[in-house]
Amino acid sequence: MMYGDEITMNDKKSFVTKPLGIALLACLCCFLWGSATPAIKIGYEWFGVGADDIASRILFAGVRFVIAGILTAIFGSIIAGKPLFPQKSSWGMVCKLGLIQTVFQYIFFYMGLAYTTGVKSAIINGSQTFIAILMACLIFKYEKLTVKKFIGCLIGFAGVIVINFDPSGLTGGFTFKGEGAILIAAIAYALSSALVKKYSQKENPVVLSGYQFVFGGIIMTICGFAMGGQLSGWGFKSVLLLVYLALISSVAYSVWGILLKHNPVGKVAVYSFTNPIFSVLLSFVFLHESSNFGLELVIALALVCAGIYLVNRVNE
């Protein structure tokens, strides 16, 4: 696995800049994030976290991210052969990322889940890839927004809608504490992607990932406790699951940060459209959830692949 600044742009054919390398590593990240969906559901059951217990969910996520940050720093230091710490000038970047990428994104997401349907949440949250690419093009000016790229985003987002579509879950209106909170979480993700691209030019992306997790995780843990959250059912099996969830964040965000550092945001972010595909597949395998596992999955996968192809074509 590749960590840190040992990956350079001296060789333009570097693995992390080749189409195949980007595809494999980005899909690895999305596969790991997709596996988090069934793993978190199992974790809620094992740790006694109720469906409406927002405080305990925030606490659970906070503990997970603190462990993820510690593991990232340890593994990165071992591979680098020296302890990895942020530069003095980087602490501000670490704190901003921790607040946006970890605290705001997940707290607003959990808040929104309590006041809207799972279908709406999945579709609105799926827009984060679209928002990330638009933000990179229109606000941060990292790249140009072309017609083909815009169409590719729309097609990829259509795949997200197909895999999550359920008319019964689309009832009701739009509220700030429900759909609005999910949208804020999606914007937070998009903003964090753009900031990782910017900050990783000045600091090791693995350092940014690890320490922002620790900072954000501590804040979420404190918030969860203060709101009355609690976790029960501690044991070898449940701790092992928690460590796996931490490793998901540790590995996926570190590799994602490396990809963002060396490639256009759109070329990497578009692969996030595969998250719900992996989520449905793995939920079917581990939770035996058969919803949308059939023609919808095939159509969604075709749309997502078409969107990825279009966005990558315009970046070549």
Side-chain angles (χ1 to χ4, degrees):
M1 185 168 296
M2 293 162 288
Y3 284 84
D5 292 333
E6 71 275 10
I7 301 172
T8 68
M9 291 301 291
N10 292 332
D11 179 5
K12 292 186 178 180
K13 296 298 183 181
S14 169
F15 184 68
V16 298
T17 62
K18 290 182 178 180
L20 179 60
I22 296 171
L24 290 176
L25 292 175
C27 284
L28 169 64
C29 294
C30 294
F31 175 86
L32 290 171
W33 283 323
S35 73
T37 298
I40 288 173
K41 289 182 179 179
I42 294 171
Y44 287 160
E45 180 182 347
W46 289 357
F47 282 96
V49 178
D52 299 322
D53 191 351
I54 298 176
S56 295
R57 288 191 174 201
I58 292 175
L59 175 60
F60 181 78
V63 173
R64 168 195 171 190
F65 291 136
V66 169
I67 298 174
I70 293 173
L71 290 177
T72 302
I74 291 175
F75 293 153
S77 297
I78 291 174
I79 293 173
K82 62 179 181 180
L84 292 181
F85 296 102
Q87 304 172 53
K88 185 179 295 185
S89 60
S90 299
W91 280 106
M93 296 186 291
V94 168
C95 293
K96 288 178 184 177
L97 276 179
L99 287 174
I100 296 171
Q101 182 170 295
T102 300
V103 179
F104 289 166
Q105 181 185 350
Y106 285 93
I107 286 183
F108 276 104
F109 182 72
Y110 288 134
M111 284 174 57
L113 279 179
Y115 297 102
T116 188
T117 65
V119 173
K120 282 187 176 181
S121 298
I123 292 175
I124 295 173
N125 197 49
S127 69
Q128 63 187 19
T129 306
F130 201 175
I131 298 172
I133 294 175
L134 291 177
M135 193 173 288
C137 295
L138 302 178
I139 298 179
F140 288 87
K141 308 293 184 181
Y142 292 145
E143 53 201 90
K144 292 182 179 180
L145 179 64
T146 64
V147 174
K148 288 184 178 180
K149 187 181 295 185
F150 186 78
I151 293 175
C153 289
L154 286 178
I155 293 174
F157 184 52
V160 175
I161 294 176
V162 168
I163 199 66
N164 291 288
F165 187 72
D166 180 1
S168 64
L170 294 174
T171 57
F174 185 98
T175 64
F176 176 77
K177 63 181 181 180
E179 294 80 7
I182 300 293
L183 181 59
I184 291 175
I187 293 173
Y189 165 85
L191 179 57
S192 70
S193 294
L195 291 178
V196 167
K197 172 70 176 177
K198 177 180 179 180
Y199 294 161
S200 62
Q201 306 306 313
K202 302 176 183 179
E203 179 59 270
N204 185 326
V206 177
V207 172
L208 289 173
S209 179
Y211 285 88
Q212 72 87 11
F213 272 138
V214 172
F215 176 75
I218 289 174
I219 292 178
M220 291 187 72
T221 300
I222 294 173
C223 289
F225 269 126
M227 294 168 64
Q230 57 182 350
L231 302 177
S232 58
W234 291 92
F236 177 77
K237 187 171 65 171
S238 57
V239 169
L240 199 62
L241 179 66
L242 189 59
V243 171
Y244 173 71
L245 283 167
L247 283 171
I248 288 175
S249 299
S250 174
V251 174
Y253 276 105
S254 294
V255 174
W256 198 256
I258 292 171
L259 288 172
L260 286 173
K261 176 176 181 176
H262 297 299
N263 297 283
V265 173
K267 200 168 186 177
V268 177
V270 69
Y271 283 93
S272 293
F273 284 131
T274 65
N275 282 355
I277 306 293
F278 286 123
S279 179
V280 169
L281 280 169
L282 294 170
S283 292
F284 174 80
V285 172
F286 293 104
L287 302 177
H288 307 294
E289 295 180 352
S290 58
S291 176
N292 291 345
F293 189 80
L295 180 60
E296 296 94 337
L297 181 61
V298 175
I299 295 174
L301 183 59
L303 289 170
V304 167
C305 288
I308 290 173
Y309 174 77
L310 277 176
V311 172
N312 277 275
R313 285 283 294 179
V314 298
N315 275 297
E316 288 179 351

